[in-house]
Amino acid sequence: MKSRLLSFAVLAFIATCLSCPAPTQAADDLPSPDGKPADMSKKVQVFIIMGQSNTLEMGKVKGDKEGSLEYAVKNENLYPFMVDESGNWTKRQDVRNVHVMGSGGPDKTSVRRNDWLTVSGSKIGIETGIGHQLGNALDAPVLILKSSIGNRSLGWDLLPPGSPSYEYELEVKNRQTKEVERKTYVYAGYGQSPDKWEKGTEPKPITWKAGVQYDGDIARAKDVLKELDEFYPGAAGYEIAGFLWWQGDKDRYNEGHAAMYEKNLNHLIAALRRDFDAPEAKFVCATLGQTSKENASGNEKMILDAMFAISNPEKYPALKGDVATVYTHPISMGSASNAHYGGNAKTYMNVGLAMGKAMVELLQGE
């Protein structure tokens, strides 16, 4: 009984963590996959995951202690759709799971995943929950396409095209006098280098530039779509249906980047839609799990506020019905984004299910 109550509690959190209030199928109602393929006469619905390391596979699968996926399913009775009657991991035949990764530009790319959505290996990521929600809601074939790598910031590495440079004043300690003084810095716009320089000085470019990871991640995703039949056999074309974004950890260490997070996020949505020729694609953003509405401060508060601002129809009426923000603090099982939430599989399942639920609601116009 205790584990069943825990199951309901976790799923209730998922139902209440979304910024869009309309109800849809909750995680406890998700049926087990029937093993049947999707309607292959329809175009593949592509959902692109981007961000930094917490979009990778960080949730541990094996183990007989709290925090592993095995323990959550077998001992806490969570996520019943994840296993079949024999206790084996289920496999969706209507959702492909693809992950391409590389550092910087597209020259070096590795294909980390190209299979039907299931549990294999020692870790899982948010794509598991996202894929189950979307696969259950859509008759069309679904492709979860992840193009991301760790330790990347929106304000620098993933800065979208068209983002201008800007000035920002910081408090800095004088190395000689030890006194704190204020200095104005110029932060790099797209294509510029380095990431910042003191106003009035000449910037000294480095080997990295603003937006280089954005360019690479976009190119890698497009390469998958160019060879779609290799990643979704039998596909009858595709449609970019949505983007899913879980990021912000690196920006929270940089005041200048945190202060511009809202503008950069707004630019990101526009850039993704433009670069994939998908002007109506939906966008779901998830907050950092350790950042609470009640206690947020400093850089983390600026990032949290930015994430909620973009889904506020009063502030961005043009994005009404197209953008949702998932508040992950209530469904994170402890630790923090910089420690990958302790590898707790429930965090990655809960966040993925909540993001998938939000995307379904946007697609259904709820």
Side-chain angles (χ1 to χ4, degrees):
M1 178 65 71
K2 181 179 179 181
S3 59
R4 188 170 180 82
L5 289 173
L6 178 59
S7 173
F8 289 153
V10 170
L11 296 168
F13 272 134
I14 293 174
T16 59
C17 71
L18 306 177
S19 64
C20 29
T24 190
Q25 190 163 37
D28 55 341
D29 294 330
L30 285 177
S32 296
D34 58 13
K36 297 179 180 179
D39 182 353
M40 296 304 295
S41 66
K42 297 182 178 181
K43 289 184 178 181
V44 174
Q45 299 299 291
V46 180
F47 298 88
I48 298 176
I49 297 176
M50 293 182 65
Q52 55 181 119
S53 59
N54 283 304
T55 63
L56 309 183
E57 296 178 8
M58 294 295 179
K60 54 192 173 186
V61 171
K62 297 183 180 296
D64 58 359
K65 296 181 179 180
E66 201 283 332
S68 76
L69 183 62
E70 287 184 344
Y71 188 87
V73 171
K74 296 177 182 179
N75 295 79
E76 299 178 281
N77 297 326
L78 297 173
Y79 324 119
F81 53 88
M82 294 290 290
V83 292
D84 61 22
E85 294 179 354
S86 301
N88 299 315
W89 300 118
T90 55
K91 178 185 289 187
R92 298 202 71 103
Q93 299 291 341
D94 53 354
V95 178
R96 292 292 292 184
N97 178 21
V98 175
H99 177 200
V100 287
M101 187 172 77
S103 180
D107 297 338
K108 296 181 179 180
T109 299
S110 64
V111 178
R112 310 301 292 271
R113 284 278 184 188
N114 180 20
D115 49 27
W116 297 108
L117 187 71
T118 188
V119 177
S120 62
S122 61
K123 301 288 182 66
I124 60 162
I126 57 173
E127 66 280 349
T128 301
I130 291 169
H132 275 281
Q133 291 279 28
L134 291 167
N136 183 68
L138 303 176
D139 293 330
V142 171
L143 170 59
I144 306 296
L145 174 51
K146 186 194 306 181
S147 184
S148 62
I149 194 172
N151 194 33
R152 299 294 186 262
S153 65
L154 177 59
W156 170 235
D157 316 277
L158 291 162
L159 193 69
S163 301
S165 62
Y166 61 96
E167 296 179 5
Y168 191 79
E169 191 178 73
L170 291 174
E171 289 186 351
V172 296
K173 182 180 288 187
N174 189 300
R175 293 182 178 180
Q176 296 179 335
T177 66
K178 306 300 182 183
E179 294 182 354
V180 175
E181 54 189 36
R182 301 194 69 83
K183 288 187 177 181
T184 299
Y185 290 87
V186 179
Y187 281 74
Y190 173 78
Q192 293 182 310
S193 180
D195 63 331
K196 72 176 186 302
W197 57 92
E198 189 175 351
K199 183 179 180 179
T201 65
E202 189 69 23
K204 298 179 180 179
I206 58 176
T207 56
W208 200 261
K209 63 181 180 179
V212 66
Q213 190 66 49
Y214 175 93
D215 292 342
D217 287 349
I218 297 306
R220 278 179 277 272
K222 286 184 175 181
D223 285 344
V224 169
L225 299 175
K226 289 175 184 176
E227 306 293 336
L228 184 60
D229 199 55
E230 292 185 16
F231 296 93
Y232 208 121
Y238 71 89
E239 179 180 63
I240 303 296
F243 304 98
L244 300 113
W245 176 259
W246 198 21
Q247 195 274 340
D249 183 79
K250 190 174 182 181
D251 296 77
R252 72 189 180 104
Y253 302 107
N254 188 313
E255 183 182 339
H257 291 168
M260 285 292 288
Y261 202 89
E262 182 180 335
K263 288 185 178 180
N264 288 338
L265 199 54
N266 194 33
H267 289 161
L268 177 72
I269 296 169
L272 289 172
R273 287 174 153 185
R274 180 183 65 247
D275 288 341
F276 284 98
D277 193 22
E280 297 182 358
K282 310 301 184 182
F283 184 90
V284 171
C285 172
T287 69
L288 298 177
Q290 73 276 2
T291 311
S292 71
K293 294 178 181 178
E294 295 77 16
N295 301 317
S297 62
N299 295 350
E300 288 202 24
K301 186 179 188 309
M302 287 193 283
I303 293 171
L304 181 69
D305 290 345
M307 290 177 168
F308 277 111
I310 59 153
S311 57
N312 183 345
E314 294 183 359
K315 190 164 190 179
Y316 295 103
L319 297 178
K320 183 178 180 180
D322 288 343
V323 178
T325 303
V326 173
Y327 179 45
T328 70
H329 181 68
I331 53 174
S332 294
M333 299 294 107
S335 189
S337 54
N338 61 350
H340 304 135
Y341 304 102
N344 195 311
K346 289 189 291 187
T347 295
Y348 290 89
M349 283 298 301
N350 294 346
V351 172
L353 286 167
M355 293 181 77
K357 180 177 185 290
M359 181 62 74
V360 169
E361 289 177 343
L362 291 176
L363 294 171
Q364 294 176 344
E366 297 181 349

